[in-house]
Amino acid sequence: MSNKMKKYFTILCLLTLSLCLQAQPQFGERPRLVVGVVVDQMRWDYLSRYYEQFTDGGFRRLIDQGYSCNNCLINYVPTITAIGHTSIYTGTTPAFHGICGNSFTIDGQKVYCTADSTVQTVGSQSKRGMHSPHNMLSTTIGDQLRLHTDFRSKVVGVSYKDRAAILPAGHSANAAYWLDTKNLCFVSSTYYMQELPAYAKEVNAAIAKNKEAQKAGERIGYTPLCGTLTTDMAIAALQGENLGRGEATDMLCVSYSETDVIGHEWGTRGEHTDAAYLELDKDLARLLTALDQQVGQGNYLLFLSADHGAAHNWKFMNEHRLPGGPLYIENLKKSIEECVKEKLGSTKPVLMDIMDYRVFIDHKSVGEQGLNLQQVKDVIVNYLRAYDGIVTAVDYESARTTAIPQLLLDRVLMGYHPRRSGDIVFIPEPEHYSWWEKTVPTHTTHGEWNPYDAHIPLLFFGWKVSHGATSREVHINDIAPTVCQMLHIQQPNACSGEAITEVTDK
């Protein structure tokens, strides 16, 4: 090779190396801001269903410029809001983070996931602010970020729902805000602060003057306007806290909940759900514009996912000759009690509750009646296995020896915490789900292992993210380790997921 050719070859190698170094984050390099967006009850197929109707600046911008994980699944049951939000940000499942539902039991006592009687409301005179993350057993992305930067990073959570603001933001968050629907204002708790900052008060003052919001009142969550108010608060926090402009990387956690409220009421099809997602698209575009202005394009890392999906309304399915049906939970409770009475001679109720396809037995009542707990469980399991609309039922403590497919066993075990998840989990037939006598005809819900509940969108966008997509199976608990890998910080302390290398290695 001539000297001239060697020179050209050397220059080519240096240029190639330079491009590679530019494409990949340098060790210790971080974006100025991390933004997590969770859309409550968003099925994966909504990305394609509404793609042509989305604006260029919202969902389509994330799809067309970001990286899409097209086969992201929830790998536990039940698929419930509080669990989903927690799993995204902790990188683990109920077996380790301990948030086993919106409500569950702790040592035999029923609790709401974020309820905390030791704190007070900030921002109104109601009890809507008496919440904190104290029931969550593990750390989050934000907690790890604050630990890594000696707490110089700021972390803020915003949502309509308390649990969707609090659990993503983590234990050490600087602030979390959610809506007090009775007083129609954003509130927080003394866990975070003693008084709302000026920017939050300004948002609340604007809501008080918003005629459309005041007309909606306590039903604000049933309107797309709820997403607009959430975006208003998120942008106010972004600007008011000066996120992305400090010496350390900050984090903003935004969860949109009106899609879940509207979905439960009107199902996965129809004008209400359509309007919710098309208005959300506009709100998302507005949020992205605010991020561009505050932090700069390419200077923030954003991910968007969902806490769960939703089943199609079973009546809608039946109208189109597709299988589906209701599980009348109140009737199921009564029939279980009658069965235990007939088989074992119980004289008082033995059930504490049925929540999210799990049976919570009242152990105290069973003991007081002199009944054998294992016999009670066996009777209930056998009854559920023969019940119309249920595939099978599993005693959590003997799950490993139960003859069920490995896929279901894995999800059952990953969703089970021995002191919080109850005693028995049952698996409904496809498109069969909880129903009550007073349920509106268009209602739907979620909670099951099936793709309609467990297949969720996952988009990465912005800092060091190349455009592309993968159909490889990844899981909801892979999101946190992926983000932490990109930030070069330690994973949350109970993380069980794996970094998605298609994103981290680009």
Side-chain angles (χ1 to χ4, degrees):
M1 183 183 296
S2 67
N3 289 335
K4 191 174 182 179
M5 288 296 292
K6 288 181 180 178
K7 184 178 179 181
Y8 285 144
F9 182 73
T10 302
I11 292 172
L12 180 62
C13 289
L14 289 173
L15 284 172
T16 302
L17 177 61
S18 176
L19 289 172
C20 289
L21 289 174
Q22 289 177 28
Q24 295 184 6
Q26 300 300 299
F27 192 80
E29 186 184 2
R30 297 185 188 89
R32 291 165 60 180
L33 178 68
V34 179
V35 182
V37 178
V38 178
V39 183
D40 203 325
Q41 203 184 115
M42 185 175 185
R43 294 164 53 110
W44 171 76
D45 58 349
Y46 286 171
L47 290 177
S48 58
R49 176 174 173 78
Y50 296 112
Y51 180 81
E52 296 299 332
Q53 296 170 271
F54 287 148
T55 63
D56 290 336
F59 281 104
R60 284 181 69 163
R61 182 179 175 190
L62 301 184
I63 296 167
D64 294 347
Q65 299 178 28
Y67 194 91
S68 180
C69 297
N70 292 327
N71 195 21
C72 183
L73 303 177
I74 296 174
N75 55 347
Y76 54 77
V77 288
T79 47
I80 299 296
T81 296
I83 305 177
H85 281 83
T86 308
S87 298
I88 287 171
Y89 285 89
T90 62
T92 192
T93 70
F96 301 106
H97 62 57
I99 299 298
C100 297
N102 296 337
S103 294
F104 48 93
T105 62
I106 297 180
D107 298 326
Q109 298 297 315
K110 187 175 180 179
V111 300
Y112 177 70
C113 58
T114 57
D116 188 348
S117 61
T118 69
V119 299
Q120 300 301 316
T121 303
V122 175
S124 80
Q125 298 301 311
S126 74
K127 296 182 179 181
R128 283 289 295 117
M130 296 178 66
H131 296 271
S132 81
H134 73 117
N135 286 326
M136 184 166 59
L137 302 178
S138 60
T139 60
T140 62
I141 301 169
D143 290 329
Q144 295 302 138
L145 182 60
R146 289 199 15 100
L147 276 166
H148 192 87
T149 62
D150 292 328
F151 300 94
R152 294 191 305 275
S153 297
K154 289 184 178 181
V155 178
V156 178
V158 177
S159 184
Y160 163 80
K161 294 180 180 178
D162 45 43
R163 55 188 180 268
I166 292 168
L167 298 171
H171 296 276
S172 64
N174 300 83
Y177 305 101
W178 55 95
L179 265 177
D180 175 347
T181 54
K182 185 175 181 180
N183 294 289
L184 213 58
C185 61
F186 280 97
V187 297
S188 190
S189 88
T190 51
Y191 180 87
Y192 304 99
M193 61 190 73
Q194 297 302 311
E195 183 180 0
L196 290 182
Y199 64 81
K201 292 179 180 179
E202 290 174 4
V203 171
N204 285 340
I207 294 174
K209 296 178 182 178
N210 187 315
K211 293 181 180 179
E212 187 180 352
Q214 295 303 315
K215 181 179 179 180
E218 291 188 52
R219 287 184 62 84
I220 189 72
Y222 292 85
T223 72
L225 178 60
C226 180
T228 301
L229 301 184
T230 301
T231 306
D232 290 344
M233 188 63 200
I235 293 174
L238 172 73
Q239 298 170 346
E241 297 288 351
N242 213 26
L243 300 180
R245 289 184 172 177
E247 61 182 46
T249 301
D250 297 320
M251 185 166 194
L252 176 63
C253 309
V254 186
S255 295
Y256 290 99
S257 304
E258 73 281 358
T259 45
D260 181 71
V261 179
I262 290 169
H264 278 297
E265 185 79 357
W266 288 289
T268 60
R269 292 290 185 268
E271 60 179 335
H272 293 90
T273 298
D274 292 349
Y277 280 92
L278 297 183
E279 286 302 313
L280 173 58
D281 179 58
K282 297 175 185 177
D283 288 321
L284 184 58
R286 190 159 58 93
L287 176 62
L288 290 171
T289 298
L291 291 167
D292 291 342
Q293 294 171 348
Q294 172 95 0
V295 189
Q297 293 188 41
N299 291 326
Y300 59 90
L301 170 65
L302 181 146
F303 66 84
L304 181 146
S305 191
D307 53 349
H308 54 75
H312 292 307
N313 175 271
W314 66 268
K315 294 184 177 182
F316 166 82
M317 294 288 282
N318 290 173
E319 287 171 2
H320 294 275
R321 297 182 296 176
L322 295 166
L327 286 174
Y328 290 94
I329 298 301
E330 291 303 323
N331 293 345
L332 181 59
K333 287 181 184 178
K334 292 177 182 178
S335 60
I336 287 175
E337 294 287 6
E338 291 171 359
C339 180
V340 175
K341 181 178 181 180
E342 178 185 343
K343 299 286 186 180
L344 300 177
S346 59
T347 57
K348 296 189 299 183
V350 297
L351 298 185
M352 178 180 292
D353 208 344
I354 294 179
M355 295 185 287
D356 309 325
Y357 312 107
R358 296 167 301 177
V359 177
F360 292 76
I361 295 174
D362 188 336
H363 291 211
K364 183 179 179 181
S365 175
V366 169
E368 288 175 347
Q369 295 180 69
L371 301 174
N372 180 281
L373 178 61
Q374 189 56 55
Q375 289 181 342
V376 172
K377 290 198 288 186
D378 290 344
V379 167
I380 296 173
V381 166
N382 289 332
Y383 181 79
L384 289 170
R385 287 176 177 171
Y387 197 84
D388 188 37
I390 294 177
V391 175
T392 191
V394 179
D395 177 350
Y396 273 124
E397 291 190 346
S398 60
R400 291 188 182 278
T401 59
T402 303
I404 61 174
Q406 189 65 42
L407 180 147
L408 291 181
L409 176 60
D410 290 345
R411 282 159 173 71
V412 165
L413 293 176
M414 292 297 277
Y416 173 58
H417 189 286
R419 294 183 299 281
R420 299 186 173 197
S421 295
D423 302 276
I424 297 164
V425 60
F426 56 93
I427 309 297
E429 292 179 0
E431 295 285 353
H432 285 69
Y433 53 84
S434 300
W435 197 266
W436 290 267
E437 291 293 344
K438 296 182 179 180
T439 299
V440 294
T442 52
H443 169 83
T444 192
T445 192
H446 50 86
E448 303 172 21
W449 71 271
N450 309 72
Y452 48 79
D453 282 349
H455 189 187
I456 55 175
L458 176 55
L459 302 168
F460 290 91
F461 172 83
W463 184 80
K464 303 298 182 183
V465 175
S466 301
H467 176 56
T470 180
S471 294
R472 180 174 69 86
E473 181 177 321
V474 299
H475 302 115
I476 190 170
N477 59 324
D478 294 334
I479 300 171
T482 301
V483 173
C484 289
Q485 177 75 18
M486 297 185 74
L487 297 179
H488 297 288
I489 64 174
Q490 187 58 272
Q491 300 171 348
N493 62 11
C495 185
S496 58
E498 299 180 358
I500 302 169
T501 55
E502 292 91 334
V503 178
T504 61
D505 294 352
K506 290 290 185 180

